[in-house]
Amino acid sequence: ILNVEQSPQSLHVQEGDSTNFTCSFPSSNFYALHWYRWETAKSPEALFVMTLNGDEKKKGRISATLNTKEGYSYLYIKGSQPEDSATYLCAPQNAGNNRKLIWGLGTSLAVNP
Amino acid sequence: NAGVTQTPKFQVLKTGQSMTLQCAQDMNHEYMSWYRQDPGMGLRLIHYSVGAGITDQGEVPNGYNVSRSTTEDFPLRLLSAAPSQTSVYFCASSPRTITYNSPLHFGNGTRLTVT
């Protein structure tokens, strides 16, 4: 995997807004896609690991979808709360290269009360 | 359950000094790894281990050594610190080798400054 792109780079929303981010990655040789939440002054925390095309995962107000054929994943947050403020990282795994994770730069979300 | 414990949290070194960053996990995880986080860059893998006695290089191994004598511990050694090694270092572990799609569990990080 040569390039992982996350967009937007940063996002400011009001409490109660719903929002979504994109993670784009090369579709060839796909193995798995990880999403992590990284709050300031803390460590990254796993949200989802997705493997199958069309996969959808949900954790509370946060959900994610995966399209391995076109190489993208969406992360959705419904009814954003201030505690959702964090950087959201995606990391695809390639079937080769010993299946190491390749990390995006993240989407920084700020939710204003 | 402590999870992944990293020490120290902060460290300042002078160029040429050596030190060891400690990482311990109490979850019996097979896979352990070290990453560095630098501004404007994604997490970069330094070294990793798929089990006791087995280590391998990641993307940016130069200047660092690791060992895995037990399942629990995975120390990272800086042999001769350089200003380019100023970074935030994270240890992460996973229940199975990363060849499976297990999520990573991260420590709280060590902020290292080399002057």
Side-chain angles (χ1 to χ4, degrees):
Chain A
I1 290 180
L2 297 178
N3 197 18
V4 179
E5 293 187 2
Q6 291 191 245
S7 61
Q9 193 171 16
S10 64
L11 198 54
H12 292 255
V13 301
Q14 290 299 124
E15 182 175 355
D17 288 349
S18 293
T19 187
N20 65 84
F21 329 130
T22 305
C23 173
S24 300
F25 50 88
S27 56
S28 59
N29 230 7
F30 175 84
Y31 180 72
L33 188 284
H34 295 230
W35 279 103
Y36 291 79
R37 177 170 64 192
W38 192 353
E39 295 178 64
T40 302
K42 294 189 177 180
S43 54
E45 175 188 349
L47 289 172
F48 308 114
V49 180
M50 310 173 77
T51 56
L52 299 176
N53 185 46
D55 220 359
E56 290 189 30
K57 299 254 184 182
K58 188 174 181 181
K59 186 176 183 178
R61 293 178 292 97
I62 304 176
S63 60
T65 61
L66 178 66
N67 184 321
T68 62
K69 295 187 187 305
E70 296 181 44
Y72 64 84
S73 176
Y74 293 139
L75 188 79
Y76 301 91
I77 302 179
K78 183 178 178 181
S80 302
Q81 300 296 308
E83 58 264 31
D84 295 328
S85 297
T87 295
Y88 292 82
L89 300 175
C90 76
Q93 277 179 280
N94 192 293
N97 196 26
N98 206 22
R99 297 180 183 166
K100 298 187 185 74
L101 276 71
I102 305 297
W103 297 85
L105 296 181
T107 292
S108 175
L109 172 67
V111 182
N112 300 317
Chain B
N1 192 344
V4 180
T5 303
Q6 283 185 241
T7 55
K9 289 188 177 180
F10 302 94
Q11 183 71 50
V12 179
L13 290 178
K14 294 188 176 177
T15 298
Q17 286 185 314
S18 62
M19 78 157 295
T20 299
L21 279 62
Q22 301 291 343
C23 177
Q25 52 89 10
D26 61 359
M27 298 173 284
N28 202 32
H29 284 178
E30 292 181 359
Y31 180 88
M32 296 186 75
S33 57
W34 278 101
Y35 286 92
R36 59 178 290 173
Q37 169 69 48
D38 300 295
M41 306 188 79
L43 289 164
R44 292 185 293 168
L45 183 64
I46 304 171
H47 284 285
Y48 67 98
S49 167
V50 298
I54 306 169
T55 63
D56 206 347
Q57 296 181 348
E59 302 169 66
V60 288
N62 292 340
Y64 308 95
N65 270 356
V66 291
S67 60
R68 184 95 181 268
S69 56
T70 66
T71 301
E72 294 79 20
D73 300 300
F74 191 47
L76 178 73
R77 280 181 287 277
L78 280 70
L79 309 172
S80 177
S84 60
Q85 293 178 304
T86 294
S87 187
V88 181
Y89 291 85
F90 287 96
C91 179
S93 70
S94 177
R96 305 178 76 177
T97 68
I98 206 65
T99 51
Y100 296 87
N101 53 28
S102 301
L104 288 173
H105 298 250
F106 283 84
N108 286 331
T110 296
R111 184 174 294 274
L112 175 68
T113 302
V114 182
T115 61

